[in-house]
Amino acid sequence: MALARKFAFLLCFMMLLSVLGPVNAEDDIDERERTINFHQWYEDDYDLEANQTVTLSVQVEENSTGWKRPIDVYFMNETEFEKYELNQSFNVSYNIISQNTTGFNKTFRIDTEEKYHYVVDNWDNNRSNDAIPNGSIDNGEVDVKVWVRIQDAPDNGGGGGGGGGGGGGTTNPETGENDDAEIDPMYFLIGLVVMIIIVAIIGAKRGGGEAEIDDTKQDEQLSGVRIG
Ligand SMILES: [Ca+2]
Ligand SMILES: [Ca+2]
């Protein structure tokens, strides 16, 4: 009986976490290290929603001679990416472009729900002023560290509405990594509180009967002592 109850509590707790998890998953951080070959590119695609805030960073690592070879950074939707792949002229989204660069970092907000492609290339593609690859050192390979952070809108919830006023005031470029530390304990705490409430409710229902029995026993013992 007691074991079954414990299992029930555990199940409730786990269900609660699974429900709370996605709701509170404000951040989705992705850090990758890549080697981009000579005349090659790499891309990651993300299905993004309106009002999500995205931070993209790229850092080129030094090559064997201690030099950082410039690369290009592009962010585009599916339609434009198809053109890019065919080496046709293309447009980027949200003006996210940095050509001939060794380091890039930008935070911006998504307006349109869409699949987007984050491209870092070591390829002389169909754009002027982009980096010109050179195969003379390290076979033209470039090592990069790519970092992506996706934050949900601060409040998707209905009700109240009205707000919004600030006009982008909520865009907080470079909100440190401290946010991460707040998320897990937060929903863990909520889960814990709800679990305690569930335990208390069930405990009160079950315990109610037992408490009465205990009282009676005590009364009997006490009266027994008196009689004896
Ligand atoms: Ca290029
Ligand atoms: Ca070019």
Side-chain angles (χ1 to χ4, degrees):
M1 284 283 283
L3 197 66
R5 243 184 289 164
K6 278 177 188 168
F7 267 115
F9 296 154
L10 195 65
L11 202 67
C12 285
F13 185 55
M14 287 171 77
M15 281 169 68
L16 198 75
L17 282 186
S18 68
V19 170
L20 285 171
V23 174
N24 289 289
E26 293 173 1
D27 284 30
D28 182 2
I29 297 172
D30 198 3
E31 184 180 333
R32 300 177 187 199
E33 288 177 9
R34 304 276 181 139
T35 296
I36 310 177
N37 294 329
F38 187 43
H39 282 306
Q40 296 289 314
W41 46 269
Y42 109 85
E43 66 89 27
D44 279 321
D45 51 83
Y46 297 90
D47 291 313
L48 299 174
E49 298 168 10
N51 295 321
Q52 282 184 319
T53 302
V54 178
T55 300
L56 303 177
S57 301
V58 180
Q59 191 61 54
V60 173
E61 308 285 341
E62 291 180 356
N63 65 14
S64 63
T65 68
W67 185 63
K68 293 179 179 179
R69 172 166 292 290
I71 43 83
D72 305 311
V73 179
Y74 307 111
F75 187 75
M76 59 194 109
N77 64 18
E78 185 74 12
T79 310
E80 297 302 318
F81 181 67
E82 284 169 9
K83 296 178 194 170
Y84 170 87
E85 283 183 298
L86 298 170
N87 202 12
Q88 296 171 355
S89 177
F90 64 95
N91 293 307
V92 298
S93 300
Y94 308 106
N95 202 29
I96 299 300
I97 177 171
S98 184
Q99 297 182 124
N100 216 10
T101 184
T102 58
F104 173 80
N105 182 61
K106 197 147 192 177
T107 300
F108 56 99
R109 187 171 292 216
I110 299 297
D111 290 334
T112 312
E113 180 175 334
E114 217 169 335
K115 176 189 269 191
Y116 294 94
H117 297 261
Y118 183 28
V119 175
V120 180
D121 86 7
N122 184 21
W123 175 34
D124 183 9
N125 55 292
N126 195 335
R127 263 192 174 266
S128 54
N129 302 322
D130 63 330
I132 298 171
N134 183 315
S136 62
I137 304 164
D138 298 340
N139 298 318
E141 292 175 354
V142 180
D143 292 327
V144 294
K145 190 174 279 182
V146 179
W147 194 80
V148 179
R149 176 188 179 129
I150 299 164
Q151 292 172 278
D152 283 348
D155 183 22
N156 290 329
T170 39
T171 307
N172 226 343
E174 288 305 306
T175 26
E177 293 182 43
N178 285 344
D179 288 356
D180 307 337
E182 291 169 10
I183 294 160
D184 289 350
M186 190 179 76
Y187 77 79
F188 177 75
L189 198 70
I190 294 171
L192 200 66
V193 168
V194 174
M195 190 181 68
I196 289 168
I197 292 170
I198 292 170
V199 169
I201 291 169
I202 297 175
K205 279 184 182 171
R206 300 258 183 174
E210 287 170 13
E212 282 168 20
I213 292 164
D214 285 344
D215 286 345
T216 337
K217 276 179 183 170
Q218 252 186 348
D219 288 343
E220 280 171 4
Q221 282 173 344
L222 282 172
S223 55
V225 168
R226 280 175 199 152
I227 292 165

